[in-house]
Amino acid sequence: MKARKTVTRALAVSALALAMNVAMAQNGAHPGTSSAEIRFQGAPSAINPKEAKNLIGGEGPPMTKEEFEIAKKIFFQRCAGCHGVLRKGATGKPLTPDITRKKGTAYLKAFITYGSPRGMPNWGTSGVLSDKEIDIMARYLQHEPPKPPEFGMKEMLSTWKVLVPPEKRPKRKMNHYNLDNLFSVTLRDAGKVALIDGDTKKIITVIDTGYAVHISRLSASGRYLFTIGRDALINMIDLWMKKPKTVAMIKVGLEARSVETSKYKGWEDKYAIAGTYWPPQYVIMDGATLKPLKIVSTRGMTVDSQEYHPEPRVAAIVASHQHPEFIVNVKETGHVLMVNYSDVNNLKVTSIDAARFLHDGGWDSTHRYFLTAANKSNKIAVVDSKTDKLVKLIDVGKIPHPGRGANFIDPKYGPVWATSHLGDDNIAVIGTDPKHHPKYAWKVVRMLKGQGGGSLFIKTHPKSHHLYVDTALNPDPKKSQSVAVFDIRHLEAGYKVLPIAKWAHLGEGPKRVVQPEFNKAGDEVWFSVWNGKKQQSAIVVVDDRTLKPKAVIKDKRLITPTGKFNVYNTMHDIY
């Protein structure tokens, strides 16, 4: 009798949840969760599903090998970004068998079909997954998650290539390019970067890299450009060569986002570091050859509930200007690691408790304080890189996504740093001067209103009085194809809208406008107009003084351009 009541109660709860989700799907809404959030968090994993070992059996419902392979592919493409490769939970809920088996196949099918108000997309009613695929996924989630292989020193060394040894590289710059005003432009879906002369607006060369390069970083000397793809492939490009090209490369895992080089005085160019999403770890490499020297796992306890997490991914990494240290963000556990590289064989790591879901961030104008977004915690963590301590956790808007952020002098509050948000239209302006403006330090002194949510990057320059905010992931094409620009001298006046995509004259396509990036002089700002892979994309260059288009760069080689990194500004952390 007791078992029958339990089953009846479970069916009633499932029916209620189903009814609620049906109603929401019919209304086409996920209360409290924007499509921009879903699009950002649900990005596909770069891990090849075929590399993950199948674990069919146990107490899960029957599945064929073919069905399991289908489910693996769908999960890695659609679900791993939110729920984690091991389904232990990240920005999404955990989906481990101890949870999913209690829910049962019928409940899981309804959940996948209709979604939830907390952000789960309605995969069925949206037409993304068929009824057959949903049935397969509901059964798959009740089996043990297939685990991708680890990636240690043996695997890294098998991929490591020194194409041009240091002794055979140029002793001086062999080209006439103005390297300070060179731009490294990610060609996302082509698996390449374009090096563009910022003076002539001409493509110098296009270099094969990893898939969907996440960032480009410069060595302290400015000679070497480092890129890392989402597939964890690092390219080291020598900019001194007659035609810049890759001189060393290595694959450091199966999925990654971050690479950086040592910048502290006396340690310039000596080391490089990369962090991976899978396996959850970072590796310190020789700065001249990318030879892997030290691999460190980031698996451990979360800062809040003190629970073990097996998949805490490495997000942003920056090089300290105060000590021979790398600052490493560990996403799921919420730790900021101060990794001292002065003795790699006896590595000293200071772990700072911040907040969960650490993502990206950047320096204040003095290069002492690191401000980083704990995105799903809706906070900015401030770390003092001189004392290696947390200064403050600051509540901001919904899902801050600053890129590196933007530093400027507020006419009322003095030096500030700003971030835009994925989840709402806020631009949080935070005081950063505890010495001369202690009243405003580490507080949100302004909350500006932008065009909308879905912002990925915010940018200004010390020589500019404009603040640019993109809205690339906003569902409204008018917003995703334009940018908002504020006059820093008159922030209360609101923003102007620049129709960047319209100026590109591209024709059909999504034409998302993403990532403002200044030239060295600070009088031009470059925007990617990110179109479909088979559609024409462009880069629009705007005159920062007049806010009018100055140039449009079009080339058949500019396939899905996204991030752009000016050599001088990136090398000197100017943003």
Side-chain angles (χ1 to χ4, degrees):
M1 180 66 72
K2 184 177 180 181
R4 187 180 300 171
K5 286 182 178 179
T6 301
V7 172
T8 302
R9 189 180 301 112
L11 289 173
V13 171
S14 180
L16 177 60
L18 176 60
M20 291 173 64
N21 290 344
V22 168
M24 286 184 295
Q26 290 172 342
N27 292 330
H30 293 288
T33 305
S34 68
S35 61
E37 294 173 59
I38 294 171
R39 191 181 303 164
F40 172 73
Q41 295 167 23
S45 169
I47 297 172
N48 183 351
K50 294 181 180 179
E51 296 178 346
K53 184 179 179 181
N54 291 354
L55 296 170
I56 308 175
E59 299 177 20
M63 292 192 79
T64 66
K65 289 184 178 180
E66 291 74 20
E67 287 176 329
F68 205 85
E69 288 297 328
I70 291 170
K72 271 201 306 181
K73 184 175 181 180
I74 292 172
F75 185 84
F76 279 84
Q77 287 182 345
R78 305 284 185 185
C79 316
C82 281
H83 299 285
V85 170
L86 300 180
R87 306 205 313 253
K88 294 286 188 178
T91 51
K93 294 281 189 180
L95 294 172
T96 47
D98 59 312
I99 296 170
T100 56
R101 288 172 188 164
K102 292 177 182 177
K103 299 293 186 183
T105 302
Y107 178 93
L108 293 170
K109 285 172 68 174
F111 194 75
I112 296 168
T113 300
Y114 298 107
S116 81
R118 294 189 64 119
M120 172 75 171
N122 51 324
W123 297 113
T125 56
S126 65
V128 175
L129 297 181
S130 68
D131 290 344
K132 181 180 178 181
E133 289 171 326
I134 289 170
D135 177 67
I136 290 172
M137 290 304 297
R139 287 181 283 133
Y140 168 81
L141 293 176
Q142 297 174 72
H143 288 267
E144 292 294 331
K147 183 179 179 181
E150 298 294 326
F151 208 90
M153 186 61 74
K154 177 182 176 182
E155 290 77 14
M156 288 187 197
L157 287 172
S158 72
T159 71
W160 174 49
K161 297 178 182 178
V162 180
L163 305 175
V164 183
E167 63 272 16
K168 293 186 178 181
R169 297 172 196 167
K171 305 302 180 186
R172 59 182 177 84
K173 188 164 82 79
M174 301 300 291
N175 58 61
H176 300 290
Y177 303 123
N178 178 9
L179 294 183
D180 279 352
N181 203 32
L182 184 74
F183 286 78
S184 174
V185 180
T186 297
L187 306 179
R188 186 185 186 278
D189 294 336
K192 304 174 188 286
V193 294
L195 300 185
I196 302 181
D197 187 323
D199 296 340
T200 66
K201 315 296 189 291
K202 301 293 185 183
I203 296 177
I204 293 171
T205 188
V206 174
I207 299 173
D208 290 331
T209 59
Y211 167 70
V213 163
H214 196 66
I215 56 173
S216 297
R217 290 289 179 260
L218 274 298
S219 63
S221 66
R223 174 175 182 171
Y224 294 110
L225 173 73
F226 295 80
T227 67
I228 188 164
R230 290 185 57 182
D231 56 0
L233 179 65
I234 300 174
N235 283 60
M236 181 181 179
I237 299 166
D238 188 349
L239 299 180
W240 279 14
M241 290 184 162
K242 187 173 182 180
K243 185 65 68 75
K245 68 177 184 179
T246 297
V247 294
M249 58 197 304
I250 188 172
K251 189 173 170 63
V252 292
L254 300 181
E255 186 171 5
R257 297 293 188 278
S258 53
V259 66
E260 182 61 289
T261 65
S262 54
K263 290 185 177 180
Y264 187 65
K265 188 176 181 179
W267 297 86
E268 298 93 337
D269 294 17
K270 184 171 180 62
Y271 293 118
I273 184 174
T276 48
Y277 272 24
W278 187 269
Q281 60 194 30
Y282 58 89
V283 56
I284 298 174
M285 299 160 284
D286 178 76
T289 65
L290 294 183
K291 180 181 179 180
L293 304 173
K294 188 83 168 183
I295 303 171
V296 183
S297 173
T298 55
R299 293 178 170 106
M301 301 299 181
T302 60
V303 296
D304 45 12
S305 57
Q306 298 287 293
E307 293 177 279
Y308 177 76
H309 200 294
E311 194 186 340
R313 300 172 286 185
V314 176
I317 301 177
V318 298
S320 174
H321 299 271
Q322 305 292 328
H323 302 290
E325 290 179 338
F326 293 118
I327 303 178
V328 179
N329 275 353
V330 185
K331 198 176 184 79
E332 277 71 29
T333 55
H335 293 281
V336 178
L337 306 180
M338 315 299 280
V339 180
N340 190 302
Y341 51 75
S342 60
D343 185 353
V344 171
N345 292 323
N346 298 283
L347 203 65
K348 294 181 180 179
V349 180
T350 300
S351 181
I352 299 172
D353 286 2
R356 295 190 67 188
F357 312 117
L358 293 168
H359 193 60
D360 55 356
W363 295 106
D364 78 309
S365 58
T366 69
H367 294 165
R368 172 174 174 173
Y369 298 98
F370 177 55
L371 294 95
T372 185
N375 57 20
K376 283 294 281 187
S377 295
N378 303 327
K379 297 179 185 297
I380 295 294
V382 182
V383 172
D384 185 344
S385 67
K386 188 173 183 178
T387 64
D388 284 3
K389 291 183 178 180
L390 181 73
V391 176
K392 188 78 175 290
L393 286 176
I394 306 169
D395 291 322
V396 289
K398 190 174 183 182
I399 312 185
H401 194 282
R404 287 292 185 100
N407 288 299
F408 58 93
I409 305 297
D410 187 287
K412 182 177 179 181
Y413 302 106
V416 296
W417 178 92
T419 179
S420 53
H421 298 78
L422 270 160
D424 61 32
D425 60 359
N426 289 311
I427 296 106
V429 180
I430 297 169
T432 61
D433 185 11
K435 184 174 181 180
H436 299 105
H437 297 79
K439 183 178 178 180
Y440 307 124
W442 319 129
K443 297 176 182 178
V444 175
V445 295
R446 293 185 192 267
M447 193 66 90
L448 305 174
K449 291 296 180 183
Q451 286 201 88
S455 176
L456 293 177
F457 297 100
I458 184 170
K459 191 62 67 79
T460 189
H461 187 278
K463 295 181 180 179
S464 171
H465 59 79
H466 289 127
L467 178 68
Y468 297 87
V469 185
D470 72 18
T471 38
L473 296 186
N474 195 286
D476 183 347
K478 290 182 179 179
K479 296 177 181 178
S480 65
Q481 294 179 11
S482 63
V483 297
V485 55
F486 293 82
D487 187 330
I488 291 168
R489 300 166 299 182
H490 308 288
L491 290 167
E492 65 283 348
Y495 59 85
K496 295 179 180 178
V497 176
L498 305 186
I500 303 296
K502 182 180 179 181
W503 290 341
H505 299 290
L506 293 178
E508 296 298 319
K511 295 174 289 192
R512 291 180 287 256
V513 174
V514 64
Q515 206 229 11
E517 177 77 350
F518 276 86
N519 63 346
K520 179 191 175 184
D523 58 8
E524 292 177 356
V525 59
W526 293 35
F527 298 90
S528 295
V529 185
W530 172 18
N531 225 347
K533 186 176 182 180
K534 296 183 178 180
Q535 296 164 321
Q536 187 177 33
S537 293
I539 293 171
V540 174
V541 181
V542 172
D543 186 314
D544 180 63
R545 182 179 60 85
T546 64
L547 301 182
K548 300 294 183 183
K550 185 174 181 178
V552 178
I553 304 172
K554 292 182 181 179
D555 190 295
K556 64 181 180 180
R557 293 171 290 177
L558 285 180
I559 299 170
T560 58
T562 51
K564 301 163 300 304
F565 302 88
N566 175 268
V567 165
Y568 185 87
N569 293 337
T570 303
M571 181 171 63
H572 294 282
D573 290 315
I574 296 172
Y575 34 79

